[in-house]
Structures are given as structure tokens and as C-alpha cells.
Amino acid sequence: AVVNRNGMIELIKQFEGFRSDAYHHTGDVPTIGYGNTQYLDGTPVKLGDTISESDADALMGQTVDKFWDKLKENPYIKKLPSNAQAAIGSFAYNVGPDFFGHPGFTTITKAIKGGDLNKIGEAMQLYVNPGTQFEDGLRRRREAERQLLLKP
């Protein structure tokens, strides 16, 4: 299946939101555009940086493609339907492209290896930073990802 790239990008945009001025999103990590913490060349975002919406769209698209290049090589993700791949791409944009197989991501890794979309959707719900100011937004995002994941 070919990933539903547009579906992935729309979902990411919906939950990341656009900010033209660099800001501290979590901790001391400056963030800009649609949740980018660095530019494509690896240069970190600095407070005081600004970006146009069209440049942010391009940066996000390039970041999604870079993440997807990593994810699409995964034999378990490769087997999943297009919308499921897009949902996992959105998840990876939020938690990082190296989540698969890493400590802290054993439940979702196991679910993806099993290939059961319902179990993958359930596993996604665990990654919501309980007790933080981000929990409600992450719960909404994980539910939207689950809905995309299960969409035929």
C-alpha cells in the first residue's frame, strides 16, 4: 500500500497547529511552524526565528518525507493499509521516527508486529503523557489517529 501522505499531513497540521514565531513547546526546546524543532539541515530552531506558513508547509512536508523514508522500510509497517501507515506516520511525527522497537514503545511495537489494526489503535491510546497539560490534546490526537488507522 502507498501511504496516504495527504491524510497524514492534514492530521499532523490539525494537531500541531501553525506558529510563525519560534516558541518553547515542551521544556526548553524551541519549536516553529508545525512542531519542528530543527530545520532540514539539522540546525536547531532558535527563539527569535520566524517562518512563513508556506515555508513551514514545505519544512513539515520534507520532515514527514524524511520520517516516512525510515518508517516505510519497516517490514511490519510496510504490510499495513495506506491509512494505517498514515496514522503511524502522524504518531511518529509526534513521538519521533525511531519509536519502533525502543524502550517505552514496547506495546505499540508489539501491536504493529502483530498487524492487528484494533490492537495498534488501542496501543496508540497509551501515549498521552497522563497528568500533563498535553494529555487532553494528545488523547484527541490519538483518537483521530486511531480513526484514520481503522478507515478502509
Side-chain angles (χ1 to χ4, degrees), residues 29-81:
V29 181
T31 305
I32 201 163
Y34 295 101
N36 284 91
T37 56
Q38 60 183 343
Y39 299 99
L40 221 53
D41 65 3
T43 306
V45 171
K46 300 181 309 302
L47 289 182
D49 287 358
T50 61
I51 194 168
S52 69
E53 196 164 357
S54 62
D55 285 348
D57 283 341
L59 178 60
M60 186 193 59
Q62 291 167 329
T63 303
V64 163
D65 291 343
K66 190 170 140 185
F67 278 24
W68 189 249
D69 283 345
K70 252 184 193 181
L71 294 171
K72 74 180 181 189
E73 297 309 315
N74 182 305
Y76 301 102
I77 294 172
K78 199 186 288 192
K79 290 180 193 170
L80 297 173

